[in-house]
Structures are given as C-alpha cells and as structure tokens.
C-alpha cells in the first residue's frame, strides 16, 4: 500500500510484463534500494473511462467524477496518497496510449484547478519499443500532465530497443532520486517558475528533426566496435549539411544513418 513518502509506479501498457513494466520496475527498484516504499499499479487493471465533460463543472468542486468510474477513483486515490510518481507510457504511433490519455484528461478535469499535486516529484518514461519513432513526442503528453498538475518532474527517460540497457540504468538512478524527494513537496513559486522548470528539461523541446537525430544517435551508440565506422560518421555528415543550411539533405542523412544502424544491429542479433 502506498502512503506519503512512497513511490508509486504506473504501467501504462496493456502488456503487463512488457517493456513498459520492466522500465517502471527498474525505477521502483532504484527507489526501493534508496530506502523508499514502492508500489506498482497496472493501468490495464484500472482502465479509466473517457471524461464526459460534466456540465455544470461539478467535479472541480467535489474533487470526484460525478459518473461512476471505479478505475479513476482507485488511481486518483493512489496518486493523492503517494510521495512521488513514475509514469511509464508505451509509445503508440509517436504518441502515448489511450489508457494513459483517458487518465490524464480526467485528472485535468477534476484536479487542475485545486492543484493537490503541486510539487509532487514525478518521472516519465516513454517506451518506443518498435522503430523508436516518437521517443520524444510520446513523452510530451506525460510531461504535459505533470506540468498542468504542477508536479515537479525530473528529466524524462526516452527508451528505444537500442538504448535499452542504458535507459534501465537511468530509470533506476532517477527512481533513487525520487526516493530522496518523496518525503517533502516543493511547489513552484508561480506559473513562471514552473514553465521555466519544464522548459529546462532535456529532450522535450526537440523539433521533429532533432528527435530523429536523437534516435539515430542512440542507434549508432549501440553499434558493436566491429560495425562499419561509416555508419556513425553519417551523423557528422548530417550535422555538416545542417550547418550549411541544407536541412532536408541533413535529415535524409540522419534517416540513412538510422536505417544502416538498425540493419547492423539486427544482423548482429541474427
Ligand atoms: C498500436 C501500436 C502502435 C505503436 N507505435 C509505435 C511507434 O510509433 N513507435 C515505436 O517505437 N513503437 C511503436 N509501437 C511498439 C511499442 O512501443 C512497443 O510494443 C513497446 O514495447 C510497448 O511497450 P510494452 O512492451 O509495454 O507493450 C507500437 C505498438 C502498438 C501496439
């Protein structure tokens, strides 16, 4: 059972033992090793219903959805009583899942005005376990959730098949950091401080070309030493093209680098 000071991990995937679960479990393991109580909850066991846009806007005052929704009651109760939260979201079509979105949208409707989560430490992990596309865009809804509810989020963890081991390690480190923060909340002094905090987080401000470059960089970083050195050099060529004011050719070079990296990694795996 979670309580104040404990770290709650939410798995936003229908796949209960998949990559999202493994990433959230790594973060919780880090938190547990650092001394926090932890609890893992599968959103698949508590699928929130779509917000019905109640009018008049009663839930803002009662802090309760006026339609019966046991899943939302369960999850919001867990969130209200934890000391920190980890939200792991699989990437579907460069975005997050419907299950995660339904929770987020109902949380906004009920709690955005009263701000009971102000200063709650939070960590978002986005798992782009297929092509890796959407590793940043799929994290944005999660960080928008944290920002709108005034939580104090740590840097996100963008995950692909290619940076898997490093990402698990980073999730564990950030889980340990959450454990250290879970005892006390530090709300933002005002909206300006909050917006600047979120602007300063890495990855989230990348444009589409920057996101694709990140994906190619993670892919080439995973190549074995025996891989063709021309593959990672493709990124330097892309950067040179971008610096010369040729963004289309630069992005095409990034795509070629990424595709060659994936091919080399898949050949290595057999
Ligand atoms: C409907 C659907 C769309 C997906 N879209 C993407 C995508 O845009 N990018 C990507 O890298 N993987 C994509 N995937 C793969 C998932 O991100 C991958 O299965 C991931 O491991 C999900 O986590 P899980 O193992 O917890 O299910 C998609 C999977 C599904 C089912």
């Amino acid at each position: 059972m979670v309580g104040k000071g404990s770290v709650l991990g939410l798995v936003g995937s229908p796949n209960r033992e998949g990559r999202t679960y493994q990433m959230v479990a790594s973060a919780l393991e880090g938190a547990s090793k650092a001394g926090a109580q932890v609890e893992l909850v599968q959103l698949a066991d508590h699928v929130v219903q779509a917000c019905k846009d109640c009018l008049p806007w009663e839930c803002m005052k009662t802090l309760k959805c006026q339609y019966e929704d046991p899943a939302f009651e369960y999850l919001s109760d867990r969130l209200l009583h934890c000391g920190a939260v980890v939200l792991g979201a699989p990437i579907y079509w460069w975005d997050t899942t419907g299950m995660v979105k339904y929770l987020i949208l109902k949380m906004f409707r009920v709690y955005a005005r009263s701000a009971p989560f102000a200063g709650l430490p939070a960590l978002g992990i986005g798992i782009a376990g297929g092509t890796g596309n959407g590793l940043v865009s799929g994290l944005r809804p999660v960080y928008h959730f944290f920002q709108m509810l005034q939580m104090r989020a740590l840097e996100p963890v963008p995950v692909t098949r290619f940076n898997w081991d490093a990402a698990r390690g980073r999730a564990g480190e950030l889980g340990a950091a959450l454990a250290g923060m879970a005892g006390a909340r530090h709300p933002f002094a005002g909206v300006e401080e909050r917006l600047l905090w979120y602007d300063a987080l890495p990855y989230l401000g990348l444009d589409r070309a920057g996101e694709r470059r990140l994906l190619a960089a993670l892919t080439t970083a995973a190549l074995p030493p025996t891989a063709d050195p021309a593959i990672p050099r493709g990124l330097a060529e892309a950067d040179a093209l971008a610096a010369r004011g040729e963004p289309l050719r630069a992005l095409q070079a990034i795509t070629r680098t990424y595709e060659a990296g994936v091919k080399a990694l898949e050949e290595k795996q057999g």
Side-chain angles (χ1 to χ4, degrees):
M1 182 66 67
V2 225
K4 295 281 180 207
S6 57
V7 180
L8 171 68
L10 299 177
V11 177
S13 172
N15 185 2
R16 286 178 177 74
E17 293 180 358
R19 294 177 194 270
T20 310
Y21 163 78
Q22 291 171 48
M23 275 292 156
V24 173
S26 293
L28 293 188
E29 197 182 315
S32 175
K33 281 188 185 153
Q37 262 192 297
V38 298
E39 181 178 4
L40 184 141
V41 171
Q42 301 271 4
L43 292 196
D45 293 332
H46 307 279
V47 180
V48 171
Q49 291 165 31
C51 175
K52 294 189 177 71
D53 187 13
C54 58
L55 287 172
W57 188 357
E58 279 299 312
C59 63
M60 172 179 62
K61 289 181 251 158
T62 61
L63 304 184
K64 191 178 179 328
C65 180
Q66 63 179 278
Y67 300 96
E68 200 181 329
D69 189 347
F72 182 71
E73 278 184 31
Y74 177 85
L75 293 172
S76 55
D77 179 72
R78 283 292 189 273
L79 281 160
L80 284 165
H81 293 97
C82 71
V85 62
V86 178
L87 176 51
I91 309 300
Y92 282 8
W93 301 113
W94 305 32
D95 201 335
T96 194
T97 58
M99 262 183 352
V100 171
K101 281 255 177 86
Y102 275 8
L103 170 65
I104 288 176
L105 294 175
K106 201 170 269 195
M107 291 291 290
F108 286 160
R109 184 76 175 162
V110 178
Y111 297 112
R113 288 288 166 88
S114 54
F117 301 99
L120 181 74
L123 169 65
I125 308 176
I127 296 92
T131 57
N133 284 309
L135 75 167
V136 171
S137 55
L139 268 165
R140 284 199 191 101
V142 172
Y143 274 73
H144 182 61
F145 168 58
F146 296 156
Q147 192 271 122
M148 288 300 289
L149 291 187
Q150 306 182 25
M151 299 181 190
R152 193 173 280 276
L154 301 181
E155 65 173 68
V157 184
V159 185
T160 71
R161 288 184 284 138
F162 318 115
N163 69 330
W164 181 254
D165 292 337
R168 275 191 98 163
R170 191 67 190 132
E173 288 167 6
L174 292 168
L178 279 186
M181 298 164 71
R185 289 193 187 179
H186 296 285
F188 296 100
V191 64
E192 297 81 7
E193 193 196 332
R194 176 160 47 104
L195 296 182
L196 289 176
W197 174 277
Y198 278 86
D199 274 353
L201 293 175
Y203 309 119
L204 300 168
L206 287 176
D207 60 17
R208 289 172 177 78
E211 177 173 357
R212 198 157 182 76
R213 194 198 180 287
L214 172 67
L215 174 59
L218 293 177
T219 309
T220 54
L223 289 172
T226 50
D228 181 354
I231 299 174
R233 274 206 305 271
L235 276 185
E237 287 158 21
D239 291 344
L241 286 163
R244 286 210 303 267
E246 297 194 60
L248 179 60
R249 288 185 64 207
L251 196 46
Q252 287 164 339
I254 287 169
T255 297
R256 280 195 301 276
T257 304
Y258 160 73
E259 286 173 350
V262 171
K263 189 162 174 259
L265 286 170
E266 287 178 348
E267 276 168 6
K268 184 185 143 215
Q269 286 159 1

